[in-house]
Amino acid sequence: EPEVTQTPSHQVTQMGQEVILRCVPISNHLYFYWYRQILGQKVEFLVSFYNNEISEKSEIFDDQFSVERPDGSNFTLKIRSTKLEDSAMYFCASSLQQASNTEAFFGQGTRLTVV
Amino acid sequence: KNEVEQSPQNLTAQEGEFITINCSYSVGISALHWLQQHPGGGIVSLFMLSSGKKKHGRLIATINIQEKHSSLHITASHPRDSAVYICAVPDGGATNKLIFGTGTLLAVQP
């Protein structure tokens, strides 16, 4: 069964360092998302991406964050200068369509720890 | 903006019990998602439903669009069902991103 894969599963980084979280969405999907979950809190939306550009972003997604789909398969989230409060589980998701009744497929997540 | 509420927040059950987790939302939607999050953190989609009822193995999900309410039932619960169960709804905006509930932490004891 096709799946969304994320790497690494766990990343520890020093405050102020840049991190890149990687995702390989399902191959024929067209819509891509990043969500995050701070420990003990709800999953929250960060950004959506379609047709090689950001289609929507949340208030959390400030200038420190960027997304890219560099080669038609990978979908990356970059945090330029990590802060302690960026520590969270980051989930990539993809879907075939944008319609509200389309299933979203999630990766296993990357646990980011900023120290 | 859609608000999603789940109850209960925590649930402990004995193996074999019938379990119900509830989800309500504030703005009408076309579909609702039930997701499972295991202790390792990964999220798995269980159901997407827009009306009536869906069944998969021991899991049953129902939705009442008029009441803006959905339930997830687990029959003959087993310790391996222990996980966080999350409902999520599309926000109805430009990208239909998902709005998540707080999750229900289920522990099934042998």
Side-chain angles (χ1 to χ4, degrees):
Chain A
E1 186 174 320
E3 59 181 16
V4 177
T5 55
Q6 287 186 244
T7 53
S9 56
H10 192 179
Q11 171 110 34
V12 181
T13 189
Q14 296 275 340
M15 192 168 56
Q17 294 296 304
E18 173 183 286
V19 294
I20 297 176
L21 310 183
R22 302 180 192 281
C23 169
V24 180
I26 293 171
S27 60
N28 62 337
H29 283 189
L30 300 175
Y31 298 88
F32 313 110
Y33 306 83
W34 283 101
Y35 294 88
R36 79 171 185 190
Q37 184 181 33
I38 294 171
L39 189 63
Q41 298 186 20
K42 292 185 196 187
V43 178
E44 53 190 351
F45 168 77
L46 288 178
V47 66
S48 59
F49 192 86
Y50 168 73
N51 200 25
N52 281 322
E53 59 182 24
I54 291 173
S55 43
E56 186 176 357
K57 59 184 181 179
S58 71
E59 292 174 356
I60 304 164
F61 195 89
D62 62 21
D63 292 344
Q64 293 300 311
F65 291 87
S66 62
V67 288
E68 240 187 353
R69 194 146 194 263
D71 56 12
S73 61
N74 290 285
F75 178 49
T76 61
L77 174 69
K78 183 194 290 187
I79 309 175
R80 286 190 185 82
S81 178
T82 49
K83 307 193 246 317
L84 294 176
E85 54 265 38
D86 294 328
S87 295
M89 192 79 162
Y90 288 81
F91 293 102
C92 172
S94 71
S95 64
L96 183 58
Q97 299 174 30
Q98 191 171 276
S100 58
N101 59 354
T102 299
E103 188 172 4
F105 293 80
F106 288 83
Q108 289 298 301
T110 293
R111 185 173 300 283
L112 176 65
T113 304
V114 182
V115 296
Chain B
K1 182 184 167 181
N2 219 333
E3 300 289 336
V4 181
E5 299 289 335
Q6 281 186 242
S7 62
Q9 288 193 349
N10 294 281
L11 182 55
T12 300
Q14 293 296 313
E15 183 172 356
E17 285 185 8
F18 181 83
I19 287 161
T20 295
I21 299 169
N22 296 299
C23 175
S24 59
Y25 49 92
S26 57
V27 178
I29 56 168
S30 57
L32 177 142
H33 301 251
W34 279 104
L35 309 162
Q36 181 189 57
Q37 185 174 30
H38 274 283
I43 291 176
V44 175
S45 178
L46 297 175
F47 295 103
M48 184 188 67
L49 69 165
S50 53
S51 66
K53 180 165 86 171
K54 281 191 176 179
K55 185 174 190 289
H56 182 67
R58 294 180 294 103
L59 301 179
I60 303 167
T62 63
I63 189 168
N64 184 320
I65 294 288
Q66 287 75 30
E67 298 288 322
K68 299 188 180 66
H69 181 269
S70 175
S71 293
L72 177 68
H73 306 284
I74 305 175
T75 61
S77 59
H78 190 276
R80 65 174 173 266
D81 297 325
S82 298
V84 176
Y85 292 85
I86 304 170
C87 71
V89 301
D91 78 334
T95 60
N96 277 310
K97 63 184 183 288
L98 293 178
I99 307 295
F100 292 76
T102 51
T104 295
L105 176 59
L106 171 66
V108 182
Q109 296 178 342

